Amino acid sequence: MLVEFGATRVLCTASVTEGVPRWRKGSGLGWVTAEYAMLPRATNTRSDRESVRGKVGGRTHEISRLIGRSLRACVDLKALGENSIVLDCDVLQADGGTRTAAITGAYVALHDAVTWLAERKALAGKVDKVMHRSVAAVSVGVIGGEPMLDLCYAEDVTAEVDMNVVCTGTGDFVEVQGTGEAGVFARDQLDALLDLGVAGCLELADAQRKALSS
Amino acid sequence: MLVEFGATRVLCTASVTEGVPRWRKGSGLGWVTAEYAMLPRATNTRSDRESVRGKVGGRTHEISRLIGRSLRACVDLKALGENSIVLDCDVLQADGGTRTAAITGAYVALHDAVTWLAERKALAGKVDKVMHRSVAAVSVGVIGGEPMLDLCYAEDVTAEVDMNVVCTGTGDFVEVQGTGEAGVFARDQLDALLDLGVAGCLELADAQRKALSS
Amino acid sequence: MLVEFGATRVLCTASVTEGVPRWRKGSGLGWVTAEYAMLPRATNTRSDRESVRGKVGGRTHEISRLIGRSLRACVDLKALGENSIVLDCDVLQADGGTRTAAITGAYVALHDAVTWLAERKALAGKVDKVMHRSVAAVSVGVIGGEPMLDLCYAEDVTAEVDMNVVCTGTGDFVEVQGTGEAGVFARDQLDALLDLGVAGCLELADAQRKALSS
Amino acid sequence: MLVEFGATRVLCTASVTEGVPRWRKGSGLGWVTAEYAMLPRATNTRSDRESVRGKVGGRTHEISRLIGRSLRACVDLKALGENSIVLDCDVLQADGGTRTAAITGAYVALHDAVTWLAERKALAGKVDKVMHRSVAAVSVGVIGGEPMLDLCYAEDVTAEVDMNVVCTGTGDFVEVQGTGEAGVFARDQLDALLDLGVAGCLELADAQRKALSS
Amino acid sequence: MLVEFGATRVLCTASVTEGVPRWRKGSGLGWVTAEYAMLPRATNTRSDRESVRGKVGGRTHEISRLIGRSLRACVDLKALGENSIVLDCDVLQADGGTRTAAITGAYVALHDAVTWLAERKALAGKVDKVMHRSVAAVSVGVIGGEPMLDLCYAEDVTAEVDMNVVCTGTGDFVEVQGTGEAGVFARDQLDALLDLGVAGCLELADAQRKALSS
Amino acid sequence: MLVEFGATRVLCTASVTEGVPRWRKGSGLGWVTAEYAMLPRATNTRSDRESVRGKVGGRTHEISRLIGRSLRACVDLKALGENSIVLDCDVLQADGGTRTAAITGAYVALHDAVTWLAERKALAGKVDKVMHRSVAAVSVGVIGGEPMLDLCYAEDVTAEVDMNVVCTGTGDFVEVQGTGEAGVFARDQLDALLDLGVAGCLELADAQRKALSS
C-alpha cells in the first residue's frame, strides 16, 4: 500500500514466508521484521544508493529497527504461528515524517498479510488474536516555541525538539523518542508534545480502521 | 516519470550535478550514467535488498551499464558541457521487460533534465544538439516458434529466444542483445525478431515525442 | 577514563584532531562524534567481532549516533572552533546500561579533551563556553509494575518498559527514548519513569563535577 | 588450457565438483558456471585487483555471466547429472576479444572435464549426449566503415560498432551482442557483421575439434 | 586476564564452545583459534576501527594467525576433544610487543579454559595431557648495534632488526620471525638475538606457572 | 617474468607509476609494494576467488606484506625518487614455496623496472644505487628429522618445521620465519635450517644475476 502524509510517499508491502529463521524454529512463535529504504531521488538532492556504497547506513538501520519493534508490539507472535513477515517500507518521496508514515502504513500492510494467512488457514490463532492492537505513529516537534504535529522537511530541520510517538489504537505508548535538536527541552514541553502525539495517533488509528474495512 | 508497460512499472528520474567526475574534468565533455534497481517486492516473491547483502548483483550491474550506454548514444556529450546526469530507474513492479521500459522512460527523464539545464543557461550547446537522437527499447522473443513483442514475465520465462532491441527514432540500432534461452536460434528467426523490434521501437519513439511535447 | 556502573565497565576516551571533516571546513564550527563498540567477550556468551563480519551492526550504529547527539547537545561547536573530537566508548564488560554509562563517561572524557585544547590555546572560546552544559544518562524501566533505576542485564531482559533518559546538569532533557519491550505503557507509567530518570541524572551530574574537579 | 588469439592469452580451466548447489539438489540436473577475471597487469596500464577493492566490477560480472550462459547452451544438464563444473577464465594478457577467447577456450576445457567425468562413470548420459553442441565466439566490428573480424585492442577502441557473436558448430546463434560504440548502426551493417561472425565461429569450431581429437 | 608488559596492556580471554567448526566434525579433534585487535586509542594517535572500515587489516590478520598457531602448538587437540576455544586478545594500550604479550597472556587464559572444561568433565583427556607444553613469547631487537629484550614502541621504531621469539617452557622454538627493518642482519646478530629471546621466554614461563598456581 | 620452481609457477610483473601515494608526497622517497594472489585453480582443488568472497584472506595479506618488505630491503628508496612500483605475483600453479618463488622472481621484475626508469631518466640515483642489494628466498624444512631445501607441496604438509629464509646476494638475512608445524624445534635444528637456507639463496642470487645479464 502507498501511504501519503503531505508530500511524503512511502510504499509499504508485507511479504509472507512460511517458517521462521533458524534460531526460532520449533518455538511455535512467528517473526515480524522491517526494512526501510529511500530511493536515491526521494529527497531533493540525490543521495547515493546504499547497495552501491556496499553497506546500509546507520540511519537506515535505526529506522528499520524502530519499525520492526513497533509492529511486533501489536502482534501476538504465538497466535501468528511459525510464519515470517517482512515489511518493506520504501520511501518514494520524502518530506519529513518518513519513519512514522512507514509505521502507520506498515500496520495496514501487516494486517492484510495476516488476513491473507487466515484465509489460507495458516495462522495458529484468529486474525483478531494475532493483531490484538493497532499501532500508528506521528512526528511532533517544537518550532518557534510552539508544539506542532506532522512536521514537513522544512519544519523538521528548524525544529528545536523533534519527537516520534508510536501509540496503540487505545492511546497507550509503544515507543517514545524525543531529541533536543537545537538545545534541550523542559518537562512541560515534553508533556505538551506527548499530548499532541497521542491525539495524532488516535486520529490515524481511525483512518487505519477505515482503510482496513474498505 | 513513471513508465508503465503492461504490469511493469519503472520510476525513472534524472538528477543533474554541475561538473563531472574527476577523471573527466577539463575535457569539456559531460557525463551520463544510470543506476537500475528493483524494490524487494517488485516481483512476486520477495528478493533480498542488495544494500543488505552488501553488494550489487551481476544482473543489476549489467542492466545499469546497458541503460547508461544506450542513453549516452543519444547525447552529444560535448554539447552537454561539463554536467553530469544520473538516471535512476527503480522498478516498483516487474512483469517482464523492465530494462527496456527503463531505457524508454529514462530517455524522457533525460530530455527533461537537459531542457531544465538549458533554461538555466548551463548547456554548452542547444537542447536539440545535445539530444540529437531519441532512443527507445523493446524486448522481443520467440514463443512456441512465433516471434512476439513485449513479453510479460510469464512469456519471458518460456521464451526460446529473448532479445532486447535498442533503436533510435529513425530505426537505427544502438544495441542488440539476443540470447537463446532454450537452445539456439537460426538466422531467419533473428531477422524476424529484428524486424519486430525496430517496428516496436518506432512506435515508442512516437509516444516519447508526445510525452515530451505535452 | 573507565566508567563503572555495577558490573558494567566502559572505557571512554576522547581523541582530538585539528581541523574538521571536509564538508565542514571554513564554517568555524567544530565537530564531535562518537563510536561505541563491545569487546567480543563483554557479555557472557561471546559475540562475533564486527570487524570480522565486515560490517557494523544496527544496534552499534544506533548507540554511536545517540552518544554523539547527546554530547553535541552540551558543546558550543562555535566556541570549540575547527577542532574534531572523537569519543570512543568501548565496553569491556556489559551488565545493562552500557549506552547510558558511555554517555556519562564520554562527557568527562570530552571535558578533559576541551581543557587540554584550552591549555594549547587551540579553542575559539573558553572551556566554560564550549562545555556550556553537562550531560549524563541513566536507564530506567518498569519491572513487575515498579519503576526502577539502573537496570542490570538480568533486570533489563525482564523489563516491561525500558527507557533511556539523557539530561543536562540542570535537569532538562537532551533525549528520551522509551520502548515497551513486553507490551505497551500508559502515560502515568511514563511520567513516573521520567521523574526517576531526571533524579538519577542529577546525581550523576554531581559525580561528574567531582571527577572533573579532582 | 591456454587460449591465444593474437596477443590475447586466456587461461581456461574446468573444475568439477560432485553434487550441485543446494537450490538444485534432487533435480537430476547438473550445473555449469563461469568466472572471468583479468590479472592486474593483463592490460598495458595496471588496474586494481577486484579482491583488493572488495568487489567484483560490473564488466567482470557481465562477462562471467555471458560465458556461463554460452556454455550452458551447449550442455545437456540432464545428461550431465548432478555434477557442477566451474569454468575459470583468467586473462593473462589482454589485446581485445578476451571474452570471446574465453568462451572458445572454456568449451574445450569443459569438454575435457566431461570426458574425465565419463571415465569415472560419473555422468548420467554419454559424453556426446552431454556435449550435444559445440560453441565458439568471435568479436567483429566496423572500423572506418569496414566490417572486420577479431579486433585487437587498438582496433577495438576505435571501432564504430562492436559485436560479439556466439555460435554453435553448425552456425546457429547462441548469443548476439552488438553495440554502437561511436553512434549507431544500420540494418545492412548488422547483417554484414553477422555473416562475418558466423564464418569466424565455424573456423574456430574446426580448431576446437582438432584440439579435442589430439 | 589482563597482561601488562611495560605500558602495553592486553586483555586476553578464552571463550569455550562445545563442538567444532563443520569441517572438523567427527574428527575427535578440538580447535583453538585467536583474534587480535587494537582499540582505536590503544596507540598515541587514534586509528580507525576495522569494523567501521569494513575489513580486517593485513597486520591484524597476520598477528591473529601467529597467536593461533603458537597456542595450537602447546595443545593436544585430540585430548581436548571436540571443543572449540577462541582466544580474544584486545590491546587496550600499546607500547611495543603487543603480539608477544598477547601470546603469553593467551596461554594463561587457555589453561584456565581447559581447567574449566575438565571440571565439567568435558575433556577427552586430562588437563596436563591437553596442555602438554607451555608457550610464551618475547620481542627482541638490535638497537644501535646492541641486542635488546622487550622493546617498547620508541625502541621498536628505531630497531635495526626486530624479532619475535615464541618458545615452550623448556626452551624449544615454536616460531621465530626476524625482520631487518633498517637493512639486513648477519648470522652472529641472529644468534645473539635467539639467545636473548630464549632466556626471556624461560623467565615468562616461570611467571605463567606462578599465575596458574595462584 | 614467469618463475618456475619445480611445479610451482608464479607470474611476477612490476608496474611503474610516476609519483607516490599521498602520505609520501614531497618526501623525495619512492615506494615499492607487492600484491600476491593465487588463481582459483592453482592448487589441486579449486579455491574461491577472493574478489568473489569480497575480501582478501589473511594468508594472502601476510604473504603480500612479506614480499613487499623483502623487496624494499634491497632498494634505496631515496635513489628511486618519487616513483611507485607495484609488484604483482600471481601464482598460476602452486606446488609449495610460492611465496619464496614470488620474492625471487619479483626481484628480477623490480630490477627490470628500475632499469626501464633509468632509461627514461626518471630515477633520482643510478640503477646500482637504487638496487644496492639483491634479494632471494627459499623455503626449507625438516622432514623425517632431516633438514631439506625447496619443499614441494606433498613435503610441505608433512614437514615438522617449515621455514622461509630471505637473504641478500652476500648471504645476510633480510627475513627469517620458522614455524614448528608439527610440534617444536630445537636450536641445533634451527641452525641447520639456516645454513641450508643461506646456501640456497646464494645459488638463486647467481641465477638472478644470469637472468638480468641476458
Side-chain angles (χ1 to χ4, degrees):
Chain A
M1 68 156 304
L2 188 67
V3 194
E4 309 200 15
F5 273 70
T8 288
R9 301 170 65 209
V10 185
L11 194 61
C12 301
T13 61
S15 301
V16 176
T17 334
E18 248 181 274
V20 282
R22 198 174 318 173
W23 51 272
R24 217 182 171 93
K25 261 182 196 149
S27 66
L29 301 173
W31 185 236
V32 172
T33 187
E35 290 187 6
Y36 167 98
M38 274 215 198
L39 291 197
R41 198 46 199 285
T43 45
N44 221 31
T45 45
R46 185 177 188 275
S47 50
D48 287 347
R49 282 174 198 273
E50 297 192 319
S51 58
V52 171
R53 273 184 293 162
K55 58 177 164 183
V56 171
R59 183 185 168 276
T60 299
H61 260 309
E62 195 170 327
I63 298 180
S64 294
R65 286 159 53 90
L66 168 65
I67 300 172
R69 256 188 341 254
S70 297
L71 286 158
R72 282 193 293 277
C74 68
V75 169
D76 181 328
L77 293 172
K78 190 159 195 158
L80 177 56
E82 290 205 5
N83 295 294
S84 296
I85 302 179
V86 182
L87 295 156
D88 285 294
C89 302
D90 286 274
V91 181
L92 305 188
Q93 207 170 297
D95 188 29
T98 60
R99 78 187 72 184
T100 48
I103 291 170
T104 306
Y107 167 75
V108 178
L110 176 59
H111 200 290
D112 281 345
V114 169
T115 305
W116 183 88
L117 276 167
E119 286 163 6
R120 263 144 208 78
K121 318 273 181 221
L123 287 183
K126 300 215 164 158
V127 172
D128 281 4
K129 179 113 183 65
V130 179
M131 304 298 292
H132 61 111
R133 283 183 195 119
S134 79
V135 67
V138 293
S139 76
V140 289
V142 175
I143 297 179
E146 284 303 298
M148 290 183 65
L149 188 65
D150 279 338
L151 313 184
C152 70
Y153 178 72
E155 292 165 347
D156 201 19
V157 292
T158 62
E160 293 124 50
V161 187
D162 188 12
M163 179 169 250
N164 294 302
V165 178
V166 187
C167 278
T168 65
T170 56
D172 280 328
F173 295 100
V174 171
E175 183 120 5
V176 167
Q177 293 187 335
T179 305
E181 298 287 347
V184 298
F185 51 106
R187 179 64 178 269
D188 56 347
Q189 282 181 305
L190 176 53
D191 286 337
L193 287 172
L194 290 169
D195 291 344
L196 202 60
V198 172
C201 285
L202 289 178
E203 243 174 87
L204 290 174
D206 257 347
Q208 289 172 328
R209 255 187 300 273
K210 276 174 207 153
L212 285 171
S213 65
S214 71
Chain B
M1 71 155 303
L2 188 68
V3 195
E4 309 200 15
F5 274 70
T8 288
R9 301 171 67 209
V10 186
L11 193 63
C12 300
T13 61
S15 300
V16 176
T17 334
E18 249 181 272
V20 283
R22 200 173 317 172
W23 51 270
R24 218 183 170 93
K25 260 181 197 151
S27 66
L29 301 172
W31 186 237
V32 172
T33 188
E35 291 187 6
Y36 167 96
M38 273 214 199
L39 290 197
R41 199 45 200 286
T43 44
N44 221 29
T45 45
R46 184 177 189 275
S47 50
D48 287 346
R49 282 173 197 275
E50 299 191 316
S51 59
V52 170
R53 273 185 291 164
K55 58 177 165 183
V56 171
R59 182 185 168 276
T60 298
H61 259 309
E62 196 169 329
I63 299 180
S64 294
R65 286 160 52 91
L66 168 64
I67 300 172
R69 257 188 342 254
S70 298
L71 286 158
R72 282 193 293 277
C74 68
V75 170
D76 181 327
L77 293 172
K78 191 162 195 151
L80 176 56
E82 290 204 6
N83 295 295
S84 296
I85 302 180
V86 182
L87 295 156
D88 285 294
C89 302
D90 286 276
V91 181
L92 305 188
Q93 208 169 295
D95 187 29
T98 61
R99 77 188 71 185
T100 48
I103 291 170
T104 306
Y107 167 74
V108 178
L110 176 59
H111 200 289
D112 281 345
V114 169
T115 306
W116 182 89
L117 277 168
E119 286 163 5
R120 262 145 208 78
K121 318 272 183 223
L123 286 183
K126 298 215 166 160
V127 172
D128 281 4
K129 179 115 181 64
V130 179
M131 303 298 294
H132 61 112
R133 282 183 196 120
S134 79
V135 69
V138 293
S139 77
V140 290
V142 175
I143 297 180
E146 283 303 299
M148 290 183 65
L149 188 65
D150 279 337
L151 311 186
C152 70
Y153 179 73
E155 292 165 348
D156 201 18
V157 292
T158 61
E160 292 121 51
V161 187
D162 187 13
M163 178 170 252
N164 295 302
V165 178
V166 187
C167 277
T168 66
T170 57
D172 280 328
F173 294 101
V174 171
E175 182 119 7
V176 168
Q177 292 188 335
T179 306
E181 298 287 349
V184 300
F185 52 106
R187 180 64 177 269
D188 56 348
Q189 282 182 304
L190 176 53
D191 287 338
L193 287 172
L194 290 168
D195 292 344
L196 201 60
V198 172
C201 285
L202 290 177
E203 241 173 88
L204 289 175
D206 258 347
Q208 290 173 326
R209 255 187 302 272
K210 275 173 207 151
L212 285 170
S213 66
S214 70
Chain C
M1 68 156 305
L2 188 68
V3 195
E4 310 201 14
F5 274 69
T8 289
R9 301 171 65 209
V10 185
L11 194 62
C12 300
T13 62
S15 300
V16 176
T17 334
E18 248 181 273
V20 283
R22 200 175 316 172
W23 51 272
R24 217 182 171 96
K25 260 181 198 151
S27 67
L29 301 173
W31 185 236
V32 172
T33 187
E35 290 187 6
Y36 166 98
M38 272 215 200
L39 291 197
R41 199 44 200 286
T43 45
N44 221 30
T45 45
R46 186 177 187 276
S47 50
D48 287 347
R49 283 174 197 275
E50 299 192 318
S51 58
V52 170
R53 272 184 292 163
K55 58 178 165 183
V56 172
R59 181 184 169 276
T60 299
H61 259 308
E62 196 170 327
I63 298 180
S64 294
R65 286 159 53 91
L66 169 65
I67 300 172
R69 253 184 349 250
S70 298
L71 286 157
R72 282 192 295 276
C74 68
V75 170
D76 181 327
L77 294 172
K78 190 161 194 154
L80 177 55
E82 290 203 5
N83 294 294
S84 296
I85 302 179
V86 181
L87 296 156
D88 285 295
C89 303
D90 286 275
V91 181
L92 305 188
Q93 206 169 297
D95 188 29
T98 60
R99 78 188 71 186
T100 48
I103 291 170
T104 306
Y107 167 75
V108 178
L110 176 59
H111 200 290
D112 281 345
V114 169
T115 306
W116 182 90
L117 276 167
E119 286 162 5
R120 263 142 209 79
K121 318 273 181 224
L123 286 183
K126 300 215 165 158
V127 172
D128 280 4
K129 179 115 183 63
V130 179
M131 303 298 292
H132 61 112
R133 282 184 196 118
S134 79
V135 68
V138 292
S139 76
V140 288
V142 175
I143 297 180
E146 284 303 297
M148 289 183 64
L149 187 65
D150 279 338
L151 312 185
C152 71
Y153 178 72
E155 291 165 347
D156 201 18
V157 292
T158 62
E160 293 123 51
V161 187
D162 188 12
M163 178 169 251
N164 294 302
V165 177
V166 187
C167 278
T168 65
T170 56
D172 280 327
F173 295 101
V174 171
E175 184 120 3
V176 168
Q177 293 188 335
T179 306
E181 297 288 348
V184 298
F185 51 107
R187 180 65 177 269
D188 57 346
Q189 282 181 306
L190 176 53
D191 286 338
L193 287 172
L194 291 169
D195 292 344
L196 202 60
V198 172
C201 285
L202 289 178
E203 241 173 88
L204 290 174
D206 258 347
Q208 290 173 326
R209 255 187 301 271
K210 276 173 206 152
L212 286 170
S213 66
S214 70
Chain D
M1 69 156 305
L2 189 67
V3 195
E4 310 201 15
F5 275 71
T8 288
R9 302 170 65 210
V10 186
L11 194 61
C12 300
T13 62
S15 301
V16 176
T17 335
E18 246 180 275
V20 281
R22 199 173 318 171
W23 51 271
R24 219 182 169 93
K25 261 183 195 148
S27 67
L29 301 172
W31 186 236
V32 173
T33 187
E35 290 187 6
Y36 167 97
M38 272 214 198
L39 291 196
R41 199 46 199 285
T43 45
N44 220 30
T45 45
R46 185 178 187 274
S47 50
D48 287 345
R49 282 173 199 275
E50 298 192 318
S51 59
V52 170
R53 273 186 291 163
K55 57 177 166 184
V56 171
R59 182 183 169 276
T60 299
H61 260 309
E62 197 169 326
I63 298 179
S64 294
R65 286 158 53 91
L66 168 65
I67 300 171
R69 260 192 333 259
S70 298
L71 286 158
R72 282 192 294 276
C74 68
V75 170
D76 181 328
L77 294 173
K78 190 160 195 155
L80 177 54
E82 291 205 4
N83 295 295
S84 296
I85 302 179
V86 181
L87 295 156
D88 284 294
C89 302
D90 286 275
V91 181
L92 305 188
Q93 208 170 296
D95 188 29
T98 60
R99 77 188 73 184
T100 48
I103 291 169
T104 306
Y107 167 76
V108 178
L110 176 59
H111 200 290
D112 282 345
V114 169
T115 305
W116 183 89
L117 275 168
E119 286 163 5
R120 263 146 207 77
K121 318 273 183 223
L123 286 184
K126 299 214 164 160
V127 171
D128 281 4
K129 179 112 182 66
V130 179
M131 303 298 293
H132 61 113
R133 285 184 194 117
S134 80
V135 69
V138 292
S139 76
V140 289
V142 175
I143 298 180
E146 282 304 297
M148 291 183 64
L149 188 65
D150 280 337
L151 312 185
C152 70
Y153 178 72
E155 292 164 347
D156 200 18
V157 292
T158 62
E160 294 123 50
V161 188
D162 188 11
M163 179 169 250
N164 294 303
V165 177
V166 187
C167 277
T168 66
T170 57
D172 279 327
F173 295 101
V174 171
E175 183 120 5
V176 167
Q177 293 186 335
T179 305
E181 298 288 348
V184 299
F185 52 107
R187 180 65 179 267
D188 58 346
Q189 282 182 304
L190 176 53
D191 286 338
L193 287 172
L194 290 169
D195 292 344
L196 201 60
V198 172
C201 285
L202 289 177
E203 239 173 271
L204 290 175
D206 259 347
Q208 289 172 328
R209 256 187 301 271
K210 275 174 207 151
L212 286 172
S213 66
S214 70
Chain E
M1 69 155 306
L2 187 68
V3 195
E4 310 201 15
F5 273 70
T8 289
R9 301 171 64 210
V10 185
L11 193 63
C12 300
T13 61
S15 301
V16 176
T17 334
E18 247 180 275
V20 282
R22 199 172 318 171
W23 51 271
R24 220 184 168 93
K25 260 181 198 151
S27 66
L29 301 173
W31 186 236
V32 172
T33 188
E35 290 187 5
Y36 166 97
M38 273 215 197
L39 290 198
R41 197 46 199 285
T43 45
N44 220 31
T45 45
R46 185 178 187 274
S47 50
D48 287 346
R49 283 174 197 275
E50 298 192 318
S51 59
V52 170
R53 273 185 293 162
K55 57 178 166 183
V56 171
R59 182 184 169 276
T60 298
H61 259 310
E62 196 169 327
I63 298 180
S64 294
R65 286 160 52 92
L66 168 64
I67 300 172
R69 255 185 346 251
S70 298
L71 286 158
R72 282 192 294 277
C74 68
V75 170
D76 181 327
L77 293 172
K78 190 161 195 155
L80 176 56
E82 290 204 4
N83 295 293
S84 296
I85 302 180
V86 182
L87 295 156
D88 284 294
C89 302
D90 286 276
V91 181
L92 304 189
Q93 207 169 296
D95 188 30
T98 60
R99 77 188 72 186
T100 48
I103 291 169
T104 306
Y107 167 74
V108 178
L110 177 58
H111 200 289
D112 281 345
V114 169
T115 305
W116 183 89
L117 276 167
E119 286 163 5
R120 263 144 208 79
K121 319 274 181 221
L123 287 183
K126 300 215 165 159
V127 172
D128 280 4
K129 178 113 182 67
V130 179
M131 303 298 294
H132 61 113
R133 281 182 197 121
S134 80
V135 69
V138 293
S139 76
V140 289
V142 175
I143 297 180
E146 283 304 297
M148 289 183 64
L149 187 65
D150 279 338
L151 312 185
C152 70
Y153 178 72
E155 292 165 349
D156 200 18
V157 292
T158 62
E160 293 122 51
V161 188
D162 187 13
M163 178 169 250
N164 295 301
V165 177
V166 187
C167 277
T168 65
T170 56
D172 279 328
F173 295 101
V174 172
E175 182 119 7
V176 168
Q177 294 187 334
T179 306
E181 297 288 347
V184 299
F185 52 106
R187 179 64 177 268
D188 56 347
Q189 281 181 305
L190 176 54
D191 286 339
L193 287 172
L194 290 168
D195 292 344
L196 202 59
V198 171
C201 286
L202 289 177
E203 241 173 88
L204 289 175
D206 258 347
Q208 289 173 326
R209 255 188 299 273
K210 276 173 206 151
L212 285 171
S213 65
S214 69
Chain F
M1 69 155 305
L2 188 67
V3 194
E4 310 200 15
F5 274 70
T8 289
R9 301 171 64 211
V10 185
L11 193 62
C12 301
T13 61
S15 301
V16 176
T17 335
E18 246 182 274
V20 282
R22 199 175 315 172
W23 52 270
R24 219 184 169 93
K25 259 181 198 150
S27 66
L29 301 172
W31 185 236
V32 172
T33 187
E35 290 187 7
Y36 167 97
M38 273 214 197
L39 290 198
R41 199 46 199 285
T43 44
N44 221 30
T45 45
R46 184 177 189 275
S47 50
D48 288 345
R49 282 174 198 274
E50 298 192 318
S51 59
V52 170
R53 272 185 293 164
K55 57 178 167 183
V56 172
R59 182 184 170 276
T60 300
H61 259 310
E62 196 169 327
I63 298 179
S64 295
R65 286 158 54 90
L66 169 64
I67 300 172
R69 255 187 344 253
S70 297
L71 286 158
R72 281 192 294 277
C74 67
V75 169
D76 180 328
L77 295 172
K78 190 160 195 153
L80 176 55
E82 291 203 6
N83 295 294
S84 296
I85 302 179
V86 182
L87 295 156
D88 285 294
C89 302
D90 286 275
V91 181
L92 305 189
Q93 207 170 296
D95 188 29
T98 59
R99 77 188 71 187
T100 49
I103 291 170
T104 307
Y107 168 75
V108 178
L110 177 60
H111 200 289
D112 281 345
V114 169
T115 307
W116 183 90
L117 276 167
E119 286 162 6
R120 263 143 208 79
K121 318 274 182 222
L123 286 183
K126 300 214 164 159
V127 171
D128 282 3
K129 177 112 183 68
V130 179
M131 303 298 294
H132 62 113
R133 285 184 194 117
S134 79
V135 68
V138 293
S139 75
V140 289
V142 175
I143 297 181
E146 282 306 296
M148 290 183 65
L149 188 64
D150 280 336
L151 312 185
C152 71
Y153 178 72
E155 293 165 346
D156 201 18
V157 292
T158 61
E160 294 122 51
V161 187
D162 188 11
M163 179 169 251
N164 294 302
V165 177
V166 187
C167 277
T168 66
T170 56
D172 280 327
F173 295 101
V174 171
E175 183 120 4
V176 168
Q177 293 186 335
T179 305
E181 299 286 348
V184 299
F185 51 107
R187 180 64 178 268
D188 58 346
Q189 282 182 304
L190 176 53
D191 286 338
L193 288 171
L194 290 169
D195 291 345
L196 201 60
V198 172
C201 285
L202 289 177
E203 241 173 90
L204 290 174
D206 258 348
Q208 289 173 326
R209 256 186 301 271
K210 274 173 206 149
L212 286 171
S213 66
S214 71

